[in-house]
Amino acid sequence: IYTLRPQKAGRLTLPALQAHIEMIPPNYQNRYNKNKYLKKFDIHSNPLTLEVQPLPQALTVWGDYTMHASVDRTEITIGKPIRFTVTLQGEGNIKNLNFLTLDIPHTLIYEKNRSLTKNFTIVPEKDFTIPTIALKYYNLSTHTVELLSTPSYHITVKPKPVKPLIPPILGYIILLVIFGALLYYLYHLFTSLAHLDKKATFVKALKKCKTKEELLAKVAPYLGKDRGLDRLIFRLERVKEGEFVGLKREIVKCFKHIEYPVGWVTPTT
């Protein structure tokens, strides 16, 4: 018994089958010289003509199938691949999935066909949608037109993360150092300004001194701070009345030009 499945519509003629037969009649099967009674003859069948009707809706695919599709992810970073798989199961005249193609703008698509499973590797440039795949075929079991389809998949493509030029921990350390240096600078700036203000006030107080004793009381605490100032203070102890004004000018000038550490000058009145 042969099962025939025509591949196209139209008139199909099955030619007569012929066979060459050699046999020994049953009555001579047990004889010693039975081969002497061997008979040879040909047999043949009658030819057949079949009218093959086309499939409905001009279909070319027949059988009984199920179809499945899947993606390995729906969110990806630009430049990374998405894997899309389509699997067809069942029986019919489909031998492979070479007919199945994808055309998606702004993507690179690589195909790998394996029997009735097809894998697509898609490398996207931006968000895209994998469209629905449809297969219409004639079901020989139910004698109906079947439509299979897969869902569509929207893929979100994220930009590549910007890698920091320096490791995060090192960046925090650098920021901390910069912040500390800035605080140190501001502290010394403000203390220097306060020192300058105290120094100016102190110089004004020196200028107001009228006597040697008054001036000596203000500058004596600074003995040992500066050699030049020490000499002027020693002269002040022995200064004569007519030389006091000139020596006071020198002492005031010395205080104006000497760079004093913070805390040297404490205004006194």
Side-chain angles (χ1 to χ4, degrees):
I1 298 175
Y2 295 92
T3 300
L4 304 178
R5 289 182 175 175
Q7 300 299 307
K8 62 180 181 178
R11 177 170 291 185
L12 176 63
T13 300
L14 301 179
L17 299 178
Q18 295 183 355
H20 180 73
I21 300 297
E22 295 183 354
M23 64 173 293
I24 299 172
N27 296 336
Y28 301 100
Q29 290 289 333
N30 296 323
R31 295 201 177 188
Y32 175 75
N33 58 349
K34 61 181 179 180
N35 289 335
K36 173 175 134 177
Y37 303 98
L38 181 66
K39 294 183 178 181
K40 300 179 181 180
F41 53 92
D42 295 327
I43 61 173
H44 61 274
S45 67
N46 58 299
L48 295 174
T49 301
L50 304 177
E51 291 290 338
V52 181
Q53 300 298 319
L55 295 176
Q57 302 181 22
L59 293 176
T60 59
V61 178
W62 51 263
D64 189 4
Y65 300 103
T66 58
M67 185 165 61
H68 306 278
S70 63
V71 290
D72 62 343
R73 66 193 72 186
T74 57
E75 189 174 284
I76 194 69
T77 302
I78 186 170
K80 299 291 184 180
I82 287 283
R83 290 178 177 82
F84 174 56
T85 302
V86 179
T87 301
L88 190 67
Q89 295 176 321
E91 295 182 352
N93 63 339
I94 294 179
K95 302 304 179 185
N96 55 59
L97 298 181
N98 290 334
F99 66 91
L100 179 57
T101 59
L102 284 180
D103 184 12
I104 304 174
H106 307 291
T107 62
L108 292 175
I109 301 177
Y110 304 93
E111 299 180 4
K112 185 177 181 181
N113 200 350
R114 186 161 50 96
S115 183
L116 294 184
T117 296
K118 194 160 193 177
N119 297 307
F120 296 88
T121 300
I122 306 171
V123 183
E125 296 178 358
K126 60 183 193 178
D127 292 1
F128 69 98
T129 298
I130 299 175
T132 295
I133 295 175
L135 174 64
K136 186 183 289 187
Y137 69 96
Y138 183 74
N139 192 315
L140 295 179
S141 300
T142 62
H143 303 290
T144 58
V145 176
E146 304 279 354
L147 177 63
L148 300 178
S149 63
T150 63
S152 61
Y153 298 93
H154 181 73
I155 309 299
T156 301
V157 181
K158 302 183 296 184
K160 289 183 178 179
V162 179
K163 293 183 178 179
L165 297 179
I166 54 178
I169 295 180
L170 181 58
Y172 295 144
I173 295 175
I174 292 175
L175 287 176
L176 187 61
V177 171
I178 293 175
F179 183 71
L182 180 60
L183 288 179
Y184 180 80
Y185 169 77
L186 292 176
Y187 169 76
H188 281 274
L189 176 63
F190 290 137
T191 53
S192 297
L193 291 175
H195 170 71
L196 290 175
D197 183 62
K198 290 180 181 180
K199 182 178 179 180
T201 302
F202 183 68
V203 169
K204 287 181 181 179
L206 294 181
K207 290 180 179 180
K208 292 179 180 180
C209 293
K210 302 297 184 182
T211 64
K212 175 180 76 171
E213 289 75 13
E214 186 180 357
L215 181 59
L216 189 60
K218 291 185 179 295
V219 299
Y222 297 101
L223 271 171
K225 304 293 185 182
D226 182 83
R227 280 188 171 184
L229 179 61
D230 290 347
R231 286 194 293 268
L232 293 175
I233 293 174
F234 290 141
R235 283 177 55 192
L236 180 62
E237 292 177 344
R238 305 184 301 272
V239 70
K240 296 180 180 179
E241 187 70 27
E243 298 174 348
F244 172 71
V245 175
L247 182 57
K248 185 175 75 170
R249 286 198 200 99
E250 289 186 56
I251 292 173
V252 170
K253 185 177 180 180
C254 183
F255 270 97
K256 284 183 178 180
H257 291 90
I258 292 176
E259 292 292 334
Y260 297 101
V262 176
W264 256 49
V265 177
T266 301
T268 58
T269 57

